[in-house]
Amino acid sequence: MEHSVEYAHATGLLGSVWLLVAIPLVSAAILLLLGRRADRWGHWLGVASVGAIFVLGLSYFFSLRGLENRSVELSLWDFIAVGDLHVDFGLLFDPLAAVFVLLITGVGFLIHLYAVGYMSHDAGRRKFFGFFNLFVAAMLLLVLGNNYVMLYVGWEGVGLASYLLISFWQDRPSAATAGKKAFLMNRVGDAGLAIAIFIMFATLGSTQFADVFNGAGALQSGTVLAIGLLLLLGAAGKSGQFPLQAWLPDAMEGPTPVSALIHAATMVTAGVYLIARSNPIFSLDPTLQTVVVSVGALTLLMGCIIGAAKDDIKRVLAWSTVSQIGYMFLGVGLGGGAYALAIIHLLAHGFFKANMFLGAGSVMHGMQDQVDIRRFGGLAKYMKITWITFGLGWLAIIGMWPFSGFFTKEPIIVEAFARGDWTAWLYGGAALLGAGLTAFYMTRLFVLTFHGPKRWTEDIAHPHESPLIMTVPLILLGLGSVVAGGLMATPVASWLTPVLGHGEHHEPVLSHTVITVLSLGLTVLGAGLAWLLFRNGTALVEQPAGPVVRAARRNLYTDAFNEAVFEKPGIFLTRALVFLDNRGIDGLVNALAAAVGGGSGRLRRLQTGFVRSYAMSILTGAVLVVAAFLAVQLGWLA
Amino acid sequence: MSDFPFLSVLTVAPLVGALVVVFLPASRGELAKRIALGWSLAVLVLSVFMWIAFEAGGDRLQLRESYSWIPRWGVNFTFAADGIALVMLMLIALLVPLVILASWHDAEKSKRSVPVYFALLLFLECTMIGVFAAADVFLFYVFFEVMLVPMYFLIGSYGGHQRQYAAVKFFLYSLVGGLFMLAAVIGLWVVGGKTFDWQALTQIDISTGTERWLFLGFFLAFAIKAPFFPFHTWLPDAGGAAPAGAAALLVGVLDKVGTFGILRYCLPLFPEASKWFAPYAIALALIGIIYAALLAVGQNDLKRLVSYTSIAHFGFIGIGLFAFTTQAGTGAVLYMVNHGLATGLLFLVVGMLVARRGSALITDFGGAGKLVPLLAGVLFFAGLASLALPGTAPFISEFLVLIGTYTVNKPVAIIATAGIILAAAYVLWMVQRTTQGTLNPALSGVEAMRKDLSVREKVVVAPLIALLLLLGFYPKPVTDVINPAVQATMEQDLGKQDPAPTVGTVQEAHR
């Protein structure tokens, strides 16, 4: 990094940028503390608070445009100040933060509005909006923090909100379990992020963005790699990327607006934000970038393959989210100009994916909460608005010209082909293949839901279109799915230059035109194939299939792997330790006491049964002590 | 204002209150409760004045008072507080009235005298304040031992299942530790020129061998009290059997005497031995973090589960104490305060659940959130604080311990960080099995389980929740008091400097 990172002090209107976090937070507190007293109007407060910060966000955005430096910092108070460690409770409003603020508040507002209708029959609607507002506050803190600790606070805050909302219907055991799984897998990533922060402090003496980015160049290459990989671990956890992807599809247990806002449009893209924000670190090390690219490429293909084998409308969408974020990781991993491309794809994805999730919710609303696409069919006639808006989202995600995705996904594929060596073919090929597969499984979803013969369960006579409060957000997001990508592509790229830098331009190994033709061709091929296969519907129960489909149905055995390697041994270890602690260590002490006290009868009784467990516990204890001591010593020598 | 003898008055006041309450007839239970509550609130008010009188960043030991006791042996009633003792005294003064309020009906179930129960709580407060306020080693030892008596009776007379066994075990463990300390105290008196004055004793020179033996005597007592692995097995029994309020004080305050003792006595009095033993102590602490967390996951008794989580938390404190950096040390002390608030809350809430259900077994619950949503919500919040979620106070302390430790010992910090994943596992699994999922049919049959938090219970939990949030976002008032005391221990007593950033260009550029 030749240029040094400096942020101006926030003045004027921008001095009140903290309101973005405070308003939804206060609203959440009111909703949760007032209890039933707020049941009648609570949801409107929730909507209004997000609407208000959207307007505020817009005005901050325009004041930022007028500034020369386009980055302002606001230190609110000393958060942690001990010895040489100084952590600001501070915010940073710059072009990258600004686009996230607009996405979160804009799309967030529409989804809040939709949720008023979607949750109207739920007794817990006020609580729902409390959690929803809490999420918005935490998410804004995440993207507005001016140092890694602030980011971490927001990072775990959104994790909490996500947990609360996934397990919102917590009397369902599956929802409670899914929430817990999400939180735990995220904590694995969070631990990585935490250690990255420790390294920054130990080496650079600061966790402020400006200090870290300015000092990163002086770090040893091993340190850069370590920080980068740990940040990547955190990012993978939050964004459902390999190897921490398993929680995201299960998160669909939450109400559909949650899936749209948190598990599609905003929170799950936080990993992309983290890497883009940390671009001065990632750009330092090509190996690091290759790891990010590989994670992205692998995950985007996994998502496609698994998505093609699922029959639950929300799970297909969830896997498509995993896959699309894979494209974004691919982008931020490629670095240079592709940082901005990933962010642009992220924004466009926010629109079309939120649109499709809300569309799915609308379908479920009209079909008595049915989620099985084998039980849909022919809905186009009954839900015209949902059909059209979902259709626009579908065209956008498969990257059909002139819809949103075409302008945002295509450039990432081109950049993948522009890596300087043979890996261009590998990653470019994966991205291209992904485009074809995406077209296939999304078309399958679309056709099975809205076209072909009706395969409804008997209890459904007349599926109905959703009320206005749900369809208006759908229409607006549908419009976004058409135009957002094309409108944003160029201006957003130059808007983000102060943060993400100018990318050097490399020529792709194939010409731009050839790549476009190939990707459009594959898209049409995938979509056409799916249309042919599924236009007449599908079997109502799972059919026997070959090994690939079987594997895809079981999430490529990743869940089975986690269970066999972590869960089962973990449970065994826990049980063994509980046994040893009760019988072994404690029993040993009791036996000693009995011996001293002369209760020989009791002693004999104790001993005969448990000699083996004493031996085991002494052994275990000794091994533990030696191992821990070695770890400590190792640390002191290093 | 600072001339007021705060520390001696604070120590004696609860004792007077205990004497007033204990002589009430057993039939005047209601009056006893009111007097005890009023008395403990008065202590709280007085300690707030003490907080104001204390000068953060001033002399290391402040509010010093000394009265002659046994001149022949050089024993004095010497009281003084540094920032570390101050925050612990505040914690005690805050927790005791809340515990009294939370235990309002606990004693009635035991068939024993209600006034005695509340007298014991006040007597316990006296000994707890004394042990943190003492600046005379002998006086400290006396309070350290006397403290066992009220707790023994609280567990043994008013506890639940297996209370006798648990009380005796608690007493014996502590007594054995206390005997080691007594030997070391006498040894210290001999080599230290026949004085028990803490400040005088920090100045003496001791030969290496003697120093290590004396260190071990103190350390063993403190490691049992804290407790550290492998001296921990008394705590789950005691915590499981004690009435919830007493359990909250047991893990919230009493156990902190162990970690406080290490910081106040082991490190300043035996600096070289402390450095020599540090790797061993850290190894034990590190095992505690992982081992106790795994055990917490496997528990089926709410109170035992919380006890195990505390052992894991004490592991973090232990690492922080022996890493010898300002951040880790300050984090450890802050952890002591925050853990008192968070686990205190957790124990009190668990107590409210157990009192309703008549059982502490997790399998006797299930889906309780449907019946008592507010109580379930507070349990969840206490759990979040316990897993150190950012935004709650324990996050700050855990973060400080880990980041401070990382600068001197990477593997230890990294292994300890794995503990935060396990913390999420034991908290969330406990919450799920207790309050979420399908409603346990046996639960809905219990009349008391239909009553959500009462006004009294809300008054108990609200201040703790508010403090946990406040200190989670703005810990500075507390860290500013702790930091100078910790810095003095690290720099003056131990001669340790924080390592400079290895690259450090940033810092220099900024200065």
Side-chain angles (χ1 to χ4, degrees), chain A residues 77-79 82 156 163 170-171 176-177 180 187 198-199 202-203 205 211 574 578 581 586 589-590 632 635-636, chain B residues 165 169 232-233 291 294-295 308 327 370 387 390 406 409 420 429 432 436-437 473 475 502-504 506-507 510:
Chain A
W77 63 79
D78 264 355
F79 185 32
V82 174
E156 289 234 310
Y163 166 87
Q170 51 172 260
D171 40 345
T177 304
K180 188 183 63 184
R187 266 243 153 164
F198 303 158
I199 302 181
T203 52
D211 296 339
T574 309
V578 169
D581 203 59
D586 197 31
V589 176
N590 283 345
V632 178
W636 245 293
Chain B
Y165 169 76
K169 193 167 172 180
H232 62 276
T233 57
Y291 180 83
L294 285 170
L295 278 161
Y308 275 110
Q327 287 88 25
K370 254 202 141 61
L387 65 79
Y406 188 88
N409 195 324
I420 73 170
W429 206 40
Q432 185 184 355
Q436 301 178 335
F473 284 101
T502 51
V503 174
V506 177
Q507 289 282 312
H510 267 250

Side-chain angles (χ1 to χ4, degrees), chain B residues 247-259:
Chain B
L249 289 178
L250 178 68
V251 296
V253 180
L254 245 67
D255 290 350
K256 309 295 168 26
V257 176
T259 46

Side-chain angles (χ1 to χ4, degrees), chain B residues 67-142:
Chain B
Y67 313 99
S68 182
W69 183 9
I70 314 173
R72 249 177 72 193
W73 297 346
V75 178
N76 295 303
F77 284 109
T78 307
F79 296 101
D82 56 4
I84 301 164
L86 183 77
V87 293
M88 290 312 295
L89 292 173
M90 293 305 296
L91 178 68
I92 297 166
L94 176 78
L95 278 182
V96 171
L98 295 178
V99 163
I100 289 177
L101 198 57
S103 316
W104 212 246
H105 300 298
D106 282 8
E108 284 149 26
K109 276 170 277 170
S110 70
K111 295 182 202 147
R112 298 202 181 232
S113 159
V114 174
V116 171
Y117 182 83
F118 289 92
L120 283 170
L121 282 177
L122 285 177
F123 181 38
L124 184 65
E125 182 173 26
C126 154
T127 58
M128 291 190 300
I129 291 178
V131 84
F132 286 104
D136 180 280
V137 181
F138 190 79
L139 187 63
F140 172 80
Y141 171 76
V142 169

Side-chain angles (χ1 to χ4, degrees), chain B residues 416-432:
Chain B
T417 306
I420 73 170
I421 302 168
L422 293 175
Y426 60 64
V427 167
L428 294 184
W429 206 40
M430 182 266 286
V431 167
Q432 185 184 355

Side-chain angles (χ1 to χ4, degrees), chain B residues 426-502:
Chain B
Y426 60 64
V427 167
L428 294 184
W429 206 40
M430 182 266 286
V431 167
Q432 185 184 355
R433 287 181 295 163
T434 312
T435 64
Q436 301 178 335
T438 36
L439 180 62
N440 181 347
L443 205 57
S444 42
V446 181
E447 188 54 37
M449 280 304 298
R450 293 172 186 280
K451 292 194 200 89
D452 211 338
L453 290 183
S454 67
V455 175
R456 174 179 61 84
E457 288 168 325
K458 282 183 192 163
V459 173
V460 171
V461 297
L464 290 172
I465 293 176
L467 259 181
L468 282 166
L469 286 173
L470 183 71
L471 295 180
F473 284 101
Y474 191 57
K476 206 166 180 290
V478 181
T479 50
D480 279 356
V481 171
I482 298 171
N483 197 14
V486 170
Q487 223 151 16
T489 310
M490 297 305 160
E491 287 169 14
Q492 292 166 24
D493 300 341
L494 291 161
K496 285 272 182 184
Q497 293 288 334
D498 288 349
T502 51

